[in-house]
Every structure is written in C-alpha cells, then in structure tokens.
Amino acid sequence: MDVIAELTGLIGADAVLTAPSDLDAVTEDWRGRYRGPALCLARPATAEQVADVVRCCARHGVPVLPQGGNTSLCGGAVPSENGPAPVILSLTRMRAVRAIDPVNNTMEVEAGCVLATVQDAAAAAGRLYPVSLGAEGSCQIGGTIATNAGGTSVLRYGNTRENVLGLEVVLADGTIWSGLYGLRKNNTGYDLKHLFIGSEGTLGIITAATLKLHPLPTRHAVAWVGMASPEDALTLLTRVQERSAARLSAFEMINRLQLDLVAGHVPGRRSPIGSEADWHVLIELSDNGSGDALDAELQAILEDAFADGLLSDAALASSEAQRHAMWEVRHSVSEANKKAGVGLTTDCAVPLSAVPAFIAAATGAVRALVPDLPVIVVAHLGDGNVHFIPFFTFDAWEAAAKDGGTEGGGRDALAAALRHAVNDEAARLKGTFSAEHGVGRVQLPEMARYKPSAELALMRAVKRALDPQNIFNPGRLLPPG
C-alpha cells in the first residue's frame, strides 16, 4: 500500500489503477494461458513519470513489468503466478508521434503508439514503416522493439532491429538515456540501442524511438498459390528472387490444415483458390512504379512455374480488395487456432535450404511422441522462420491431461517434450528455437537447453550491470544461473 500511495502522489490517482476490473485485462495473456497477480497498473504520461515510477519501485524493491499491447506468445508480458507481485507499467498514455522527417526518412514516436498508427502516420507523409504483423492493430511500438518483432516483411526490410535508429530509455536507477539519433552512421563506441532491442524489458523501459522509414510503395502485386510441397515452394521462392529481386516483399507459406482452420473458424475468410492443395503460398511484390507492369511480372513468373509443374493453382489479386482479403487470411491464423483448439506454437528459424528438411524431421519427431498428431505450419519462408505448431483439439487436449501426458507429468510435460522435439531438430540444422517471438517465460527451459554457456554468462553480466536489483521483468529471458 505504501508503494501505491507513493505512486499515486507521483503520477496521479487516475494513473494508478488497482480495481480488479482494471487489472483483469493486463494480468492475463490474450490466449488465456498465463495469469498472475499485480500490485497495480501504472500509466505514466511522460518519460519523467516513467522514471519516477521506476525510482519508487526500486526504493521499495518492487518488480516493474513493462507491458505493451499484451500480445506476447511467450508469457513475457503478464505476471507470474508465484513470486512478488509487480507494478505493471503501461505506456498507453504515451502515444505521440513527435516528428516525421521525410527527407531524412525518419520518425520519432513515443513507445505507447500502436504499430498500425505508426504505419498510418508514415503513409500520410508518403513513407513506409515496414514492420508488419498480425497484431499490428493492438501491439505497441515499444513492445515490438523490446521483442525485436519480425513479421511478414523481414524478407525485404529486415526485422525491427534493422528499422530502429535511436531510442529513449529509462534505466533501473531512473536515469533517462536519450539516444534518439536519426543517423545511419554514428561510429562513436558501443551502439547502446542494441542492448535494449530484444531485451524484453529486462534492462530498461523504452519510452520513445527514432524509426527508419522507406519509400512508400505505390503498386502491389499479390498472388495466392497452391503447391504440393515445401520443396516446390522453396524453388518458387528462388525463382521469384532471381526475377524480381528487391521488389519481392513477402513470401508466406501455410499448410492445408492451417487454411482449413482459418476458413472454418474466422467469419468471412475463405481460400483464395478454388482447388485444394497441401501447401499454400502468399506472394507480394511491391514497387513505386505505376500501371500493370508488376502484375504482369508476377503473372509471368507463375505461368512459367505452372508449366514446370511447381504449382497446382494460383489466384492473382485484381483489386486492392482482393489483395486485402488474401492478407486477411494470412493474418487470421492466430485467431483461428485459438478458437479451434490448443496449438503449441514454436518459433524456429533454420537456413532457407533446410526448411523442407526441418518440417519433415519435426513432423516425425512429434508423431513419435503422439502418433498421428495434427501439425500446423505457418512459415515466413523468405527468411527461414517456421512456426511449427503441434495441434490438439480441445477434446484431445483434455484427453492428454487424463492420460497423464508424458511420463505421468501431465500436459505441461507433454508440451515441453513436444517443444523439445521440434527445437532439437532446428538445433541439429544449425537453427534457433526463437526467431521473432522472444523468450518470455515459456522459452526459459529452451534458453538453458540450447544457449551456449558463454553467451548466457555475458547476458547475465549485462543484466547485473544495468539492473543490479533485478527489478525489471524478473524471471523472463534469462534462465536461473
């Protein structure tokens, strides 16, 4: 109560919420899998108020859990069931677009800005902020930076790390570090912003960012393609890259089960092609030209691929509405899977050439544990990121609990065994268990299992140096030493 009273005096009664109705939405993740208690929800309006909150919590030894749009898939943005209850720090009152410089191709925004708002503001200035993902209507820019979010445009523009030029960060002692540079070249020692990008709120609180902008494409060509195998999809990817080069902005692959779940559980979604196929690919080319040249280019590539037997069916979007509808199918996968059952989402990345082998090996590995287990595949094929998802209907998941899961350990043990089986195959192919979702708390065992001890030691040294009291998001990202 002393902490709450002090915070109220620092940032105002309307900015410190304690009612259960206010805390319910921020103490449970969006999939309803993780939940824990919190002292309160603090909503500072400035970086100085964020610093006040941090200093107050440090004085009282209370953890600070920064939360963006609460769209994490790794349980990293909500409190744990056990351990000291944190102050959840939300930047929803810090949503200003401070400045846009279209000549320098930069924009400065506060961390509470919703990603879609940032995209819209850039577009209004004739520029593109390219990070795009299914949660862009609710996730906040600070959260995407703290998790180094990927998405569907990494193939062309890189992930979030490649699109951040500078940061403003509140440190564990309440110091505000302002590194909001808009420079492409700044060779003056350690590039400190990279400590905080991908740190998942464990080293500091990101309060603002200078983002890199790009020319806004004025023309898009989008196609939905049915294919027989990931091998054929990889061959098609190579062909499109060779002929379209930098104009290729997205190459997304899902399997038939995923498409069926989207069509069956999300109203208004349907397959863009009339025939059935085991694998589906969404391709987008974008450029700044005009006319139908881009459509003709993509159509010619697909016609040649069809003649060579690489694809069984294809639909080329003939309007912006059709393009939007195709992307809606792709962006609806998480919603569909949540409604349809329990998907044990993995977030592996392997070298592009190894993607088909990884999918085949991971399928065999999980079915060795659970025979005939359905598998969902959602892949950002252009960058080698494969979300391989062992899938249970709700009834099958309940049956797994009654059967005792793996070695009598229940569903948690079964889920861990399945994740290990998938991640072992990624590691064998020189890949990673976390490509874009982060670590949170769900992936802590994987960090301990796969991360070299020297890397963990370096990460712990950085954590001790920047957050010696361990008040920032404890129990996340770093496994116990």
Side-chain angles (χ1 to χ4, degrees), residues 98-336:
R98 294 179 178 174
I100 299 178
D101 185 343
V103 176
N104 196 45
N105 281 310
T106 55
M107 67 188 302
E108 184 179 312
V109 302
E110 293 182 339
C113 283
V114 172
L115 175 56
T117 301
V118 171
Q119 295 168 337
D120 291 344
R127 295 294 181 265
L128 172 73
Y129 181 65
V131 177
S132 178
L133 50 146
E136 61 194 26
S138 54
C139 65
Q140 295 176 10
I141 202 71
T144 65
I145 295 171
T147 57
N148 189 28
T152 58
S153 299
V154 172
L155 167 64
R156 179 168 178 177
Y157 297 102
N159 56 19
T160 296
R161 187 181 299 278
E162 282 71 52
N163 291 281
V164 175
L165 295 174
L167 292 177
E168 177 185 85
V169 181
V170 174
L171 305 179
D173 63 356
T175 298
I176 300 174
W177 170 59
S178 184
L180 291 169
Y181 307 108
L183 305 174
R184 271 70 175 178
K185 289 184 174 181
N186 184 2
N187 199 11
T188 54
Y190 304 130
D191 197 343
L192 296 176
K193 66 178 180 289
H194 290 298
L195 285 173
F196 303 99
I197 301 171
S199 68
E200 301 186 32
T202 62
L203 300 179
I205 309 298
I206 297 167
T207 53
T210 301
L211 306 176
K212 183 193 299 182
L213 302 182
H214 303 262
L216 181 67
T218 57
R219 183 68 182 174
H220 303 269
V222 177
W224 190 281
V225 179
M227 312 194 78
S229 69
E231 289 83 358
D232 287 345
L234 195 58
T235 300
L236 180 60
L237 170 62
T238 301
R239 289 192 179 191
V240 178
Q241 287 176 319
E242 289 173 349
R243 293 175 63 169
S244 298
R247 291 186 294 278
L248 177 60
S249 56
F251 199 98
E252 300 287 296
M253 182 179 75
I254 65 175
N255 66 350
R256 181 176 173 180
L257 174 57
Q258 181 63 91
L259 180 61
D260 289 344
L261 292 177
V262 170
H265 293 274
V266 183
R269 308 291 186 266
R270 61 182 182 84
S271 173
I273 58 176
S275 60
E276 294 183 344
D278 289 334
W279 294 89
H280 296 259
V281 171
L282 175 62
I283 306 168
E284 178 166 284
L285 308 183
S286 60
D287 208 344
N288 298 85
S290 58
D292 298 324
L294 215 57
D295 284 335
E297 178 181 325
L298 183 53
Q299 183 170 339
I301 294 171
L302 296 179
E303 286 175 350
D304 290 346
F306 185 82
D308 292 339
L310 284 179
L311 54 96
S312 58
D313 199 355
L316 191 67
S318 60
S319 66
E320 183 63 23
Q322 288 186 3
R323 170 180 174 252
H324 182 68
M326 289 181 181
W327 273 110
E328 277 190 328
V329 173
R330 171 59 185 86
H331 284 317
S332 296
V333 297
S334 294
E335 179 185 353

